[in-house]
Amino acid sequence: SGTILAEAAMIACNIPPNLMRKEFAFERWPDWDVDLFETIEESLLNKTRDFHHKMIGYDKAPSAVAKAKENIKNAHLDEFITIKQEDFFKTKKEGEEKLHMVFNPPYGERLELMDMEAFYGDIGTTLKHGYPNTEAWFITSDLESLKHVGLRPSRKIKVFNGKLEARLVKYEMYAGSRKAKKMNRED
């Protein structure tokens, strides 16, 4: 639905949450002070900042792409974010600059049953061979399938996604091997 992208763009630009909301319940309170609210809103808007990077999101499913595009447009963030229909397993990193990737692979909770262990293994293979110089983060509650990524995480953070215990996991991709990268730094 584009939630991770929308929230990342809002954080990057320091855009206040709910900025585009049409109405708040507190506006019906008897002591509602519209002038104070407008002062606070203007103050927050003055703290927004420019963002000069590209944010790209993609999904294999046309329905997910359409919903994400709609949500990004409704949040007025389409100048910062591009949504495409792509199969991650058929992609490679474009350019040499460092890439930061965040994704939310299926947990097996909402989608039809699939071979989750093979799926997570394919994620690791795609990252390793197609995304050098990349920091890849993903969140999952499928802790068993996570073991099949085939990469060593540089960081694991226990979180909850709703009621599900999950992990926010970071993988660092290098051109060549991590060992070779480390040896080059020591020279």
Side-chain angles (χ1 to χ4, degrees):
S1 64
T3 304
I4 291 174
L5 285 165
E7 290 184 4
M10 291 178 73
I11 290 167
C13 298
N14 203 32
I15 297 171
N18 291 313
L19 179 66
M20 298 301 164
R21 191 172 177 155
K22 291 181 172 79
E23 183 182 35
F24 294 93
F26 59 75
E27 292 179 44
R28 288 181 244 128
W29 293 352
D31 61 348
W32 161 247
D33 186 341
V34 69
D35 293 331
L36 176 60
F37 178 77
E38 288 175 356
T39 300
I40 293 169
E41 185 178 50
E42 185 177 332
S43 171
L44 290 170
L45 288 172
N46 287 335
K47 293 177 183 176
T48 60
R49 56 184 171 247
D50 291 335
F51 181 71
H52 303 287
H53 303 280
K54 293 189 303 185
M55 296 181 99
I56 302 169
Y58 49 83
D59 197 293
K60 185 177 175 180
S63 59
V65 170
K67 185 64 176 167
K69 283 182 175 181
E70 178 186 342
N71 290 342
I72 297 303
K73 184 177 179 182
N74 290 341
H76 302 278
L77 296 169
D78 42 350
E79 70 180 277
F80 307 111
I81 301 168
T82 302
I83 306 289
K84 300 178 181 178
Q85 182 180 346
E86 295 276 344
D87 181 344
F88 171 71
F89 301 117
K90 295 178 181 174
T91 65
K92 290 188 183 281
K93 180 180 167 213
E94 297 175 15
E96 299 296 318
E97 68 281 347
K98 186 159 189 126
L99 175 66
H100 300 275
M101 178 184 292
V102 180
F103 59 105
N104 185 356
Y107 301 179
E109 293 289 320
R110 291 182 302 131
L111 299 177
E112 67 269 1
L113 294 176
M114 60 191 324
D115 183 349
M116 296 303 284
E117 293 174 1
F119 182 79
Y120 276 66
D122 290 345
I123 291 173
T125 299
T126 302
L127 287 171
K128 183 176 180 179
H129 297 291
Y131 286 88
N133 195 24
T134 296
E135 280 185 9
W137 289 85
F138 55 95
I139 184 171
T140 182
S141 70
D142 190 341
L143 304 181
E144 192 57 40
S145 294
L146 191 58
K147 296 174 186 175
H148 296 274
V149 171
L151 302 170
R152 177 171 288 160
S154 60
R155 192 139 184 233
K156 285 185 189 177
I157 302 169
K158 182 178 177 177
V159 296
F160 285 86
N161 188 0
K163 66 179 178 169
L164 299 173
E165 181 179 321
R167 296 291 181 275
L168 180 60
V169 184
K170 177 182 178 185
Y171 297 99
E172 296 181 62
M173 302 297 110
Y174 300 96
S177 72
R178 184 177 188 175
K179 187 175 180 179
K181 176 121 176 139
K182 195 174 191 180
M183 291 178 76
N184 285 339
R185 276 190 277 171
E186 292 173 2
D187 291 341

